[in-house]
Amino acid sequence: MEKILVKTPMKTYPIVFEEDFSALENLIKEQNLSQRKMCIIADQNTAKLYGKMVTQQLERVASAVYFYDFPAGEIFKNLESISRFYRFFQENRFDRKTIIVALGGGVCGDMAGFAAATYLRGIAFIQIPTTLLSQVDSSVGGKTGVDFNGTKNIIGAFYQPELVYINTKTLQTLPKREFAAGMAEVIKYGCIVSRDFFDFLQAKKQDIKNMNDDILCEMIRQCCLFKADVVSKDEKESGLREILNFGHTIGHGIETKMDFQLLHGECVGIGMLAVLELSRKRGDVTKEEVEEVKNLLEYFGLPLFVENISVENIYEQLFLDKKVKENKIGFVLPKGIGKVYRTSDVKKQEILEAIEFVVKA
Ligand code: GLY
């Protein structure tokens, strides 16, 4: 399948789509990255599944391959983990030519990328995303970082990888819940940029659920095209890129206040429903459109609401989000399905009612 190029002021790099890891060797050669130390970073689950396979591939092109694994989960996405990464880098005398290889989902990619961005003021890194969410969103575009003091992704850097290598077959081993969480980000693209893509998802939902290879590839590729286009126009989120945060403002608030018991994608789905309802009340979205999104999220087994959590607490959490500017919360609001606009002109009452829509008493 044809590569997609992400073109940013920082770097131009390819996203490639494969059905195994065998093309890694040639791609690394093509990118002039061979004969260097390479360090695979993976969480312990991904390490078990793919660590050996990727190591074998890298051994063909690296001067030496190192492996570092860490416990899986958002609760480990913090500076303590990064500190342990740095220690490993130092102990093994990694230098400016060493390449970090992030093998795994969003947590792994964000952390390995952040460590690469900051160690020795920046060393090269490669993304090998193995979850749906990381393949369609987090591995592309150079957002790296960690959570800090109860707030998501508040420490970080924009730092682009050298290459994003997507092996779509890794989705076959992905737990169903993780796959569903990725689908929330996929549905997000339909909501923000393309009614046609949303219709495609509705039409092909059964094939997607049944993991039809061709349909999955088409879907992931289309998401990467959307993302590459937005990131190429606004690498550092000074405007347009904010649309990718659709559903994330309230979603992040819920994720944090639920102590990360829900997955990021699950919270994004709930956050999208909240702002769809807000926009319905503004007259920008019909009841039927809210139902369409809700039904699609539900079809993929995503939660539609949260329980045992205070609306006010979620509201207060929104002010700690990194999208707050001058004490105003930034929102991405829909106009129908396939179009959004950015605004911080949203009244407290509207926000509270939007949160209430997705919180069950
Ligand atoms: N996940 C949103 C972005 O990369 O901008």
Side-chain angles (χ1 to χ4, degrees):
M1 200 182 261
E2 235 176 87
K3 293 174 193 171
I4 294 174
L5 278 188
V6 186
K7 295 181 185 166
T8 72
M10 198 184 293
K11 191 163 288 167
T12 294
Y13 58 93
I15 309 172
V16 299
F17 304 87
E18 297 290 339
E19 295 195 342
D20 57 28
F21 293 112
S22 65
L24 259 175
E25 178 184 355
N26 277 340
L27 279 157
I28 285 171
K29 283 183 186 156
E30 270 176 31
Q31 297 294 112
N32 288 323
L33 299 171
S34 47
Q35 294 315 315
R36 290 160 63 167
K37 279 184 180 176
M38 295 190 187
C39 176
I40 301 170
I41 297 186
D43 72 42
Q44 282 155 3
N45 301 337
T46 316
K48 269 192 218 117
L49 288 166
Y50 302 115
K52 212 166 163 192
M53 273 183 233
V54 174
T55 302
Q56 279 168 354
Q57 289 299 323
L58 295 186
E59 275 170 353
R60 298 168 194 255
V61 273
S63 57
V65 179
Y66 298 77
F67 202 98
Y68 183 88
D69 66 20
F70 64 95
E74 182 80 29
I75 54 161
F76 297 103
K77 191 178 173 185
N78 53 38
L79 289 173
E80 287 73 40
S81 298
I82 296 290
S83 207
R84 283 192 277 274
F85 290 10
Y86 293 149
R87 208 171 288 279
F88 184 79
F89 295 178
Q90 239 182 356
E91 280 163 8
N92 290 291
R93 298 176 190 272
F94 288 178
D95 61 27
R96 286 205 160 127
K97 287 280 178 195
T98 304
I99 299 167
I100 302 302
V101 180
L103 173 66
V107 170
C108 175
D110 283 12
M111 285 211 291
F114 183 64
T118 46
Y119 185 72
L120 301 178
R121 297 205 178 91
I123 58 175
F125 90 111
I126 292 172
Q127 289 271 22
I128 308 185
T130 58
T131 63
L132 181 59
L133 188 137
S134 58
Q135 293 182 354
V136 298
D137 179 38
S138 62
S139 68
V140 176
K143 275 192 182 173
T144 72
V146 292
D147 307 334
F148 182 71
N149 202 19
T151 300
K152 229 82 180 137
N153 297 339
I154 195 149
I155 310 285
F158 287 101
Y159 194 67
Q160 303 294 344
E162 304 293 319
L163 161 72
V164 179
Y165 188 100
I166 297 179
N167 169 1
T168 53
K169 288 280 186 207
T170 57
L171 300 182
Q172 309 288 351
T173 56
L174 193 64
K176 280 197 169 29
R177 186 176 168 199
E178 293 260 0
F179 183 83
M183 280 310 297
E185 295 279 3
V186 172
I187 294 167
K188 178 191 82 177
Y189 288 109
C191 293
I192 63 174
V193 283
S194 171
R195 173 79 219 196
D196 285 351
F197 183 62
F198 189 86
D199 291 343
F200 162 85
L201 296 176
Q202 282 188 318
K204 302 290 180 194
K205 63 183 185 187
Q206 223 169 341
D207 293 317
I208 297 169
K209 211 180 211 178
N210 293 339
M211 308 292 283
N212 175 306
D213 279 337
D214 293 341
I215 299 294
L216 278 185
C217 274
E218 194 181 337
M219 178 184 90
I220 295 166
R221 190 183 147 74
Q222 188 55 62
C223 293
C224 288
L225 273 172
F226 289 137
K227 178 114 193 216
D229 181 51
V230 172
V231 167
S232 299
K233 289 176 180 148
D234 177 21
E235 180 184 24
K236 294 201 174 163
E237 201 167 290
S238 42
L240 176 72
R241 185 166 178 171
E242 287 174 1
I243 67 170
L244 298 174
N245 297 329
F246 178 61
H248 284 57
T249 308
I250 293 176
H252 277 172
I254 292 174
E255 192 176 355
T256 309
K257 284 295 158 200
M258 292 291 291
D259 293 326
F260 299 105
Q261 288 167 50
L262 288 180
L263 300 175
H264 173 68
E266 293 174 333
C267 297
V268 167
I270 295 169
M272 293 197 300
L273 280 182
V275 289
L276 276 154
E277 174 63 7
L278 192 159
S279 290
R280 186 193 67 75
K281 288 193 173 154
R282 285 188 167 201
D284 287 338
V285 170
T286 64
K287 194 168 186 289
E288 291 69 35
E289 285 168 330
V290 180
E291 283 303 309
E292 275 186 281
V293 179
K294 197 171 174 180
N295 289 343
L296 203 50
L297 292 169
E298 193 169 27
Y299 181 82
F300 287 105
L302 284 154
L304 306 177
F305 56 85
V306 277
E307 285 174 295
N308 304 325
I309 182 167
S310 134
V311 171
E312 274 290 340
N313 276 357
I314 298 173
Y315 177 77
E316 288 307 323
Q317 181 64 31
L318 304 190
F319 286 92
L320 298 174
D321 196 89
K322 61 186 175 328
K323 294 178 284 297
V324 169
K325 289 180 197 135
E326 313 262 314
N327 210 34
K328 287 202 159 216
I329 305 166
F331 276 93
V332 178
L333 296 182
K335 267 194 188 280
I337 293 177
K339 269 204 189 98
V340 285
Y341 65 102
R342 295 170 280 125
T343 181
S344 50
D345 193 10
V346 186
K347 294 189 186 69
K348 177 174 180 183
Q349 193 52 30
E350 289 184 283
I351 303 173
L352 288 175
E353 284 175 21
I355 301 173
E356 266 163 25
F357 183 68
V358 292
V359 173
K360 256 200 179 171

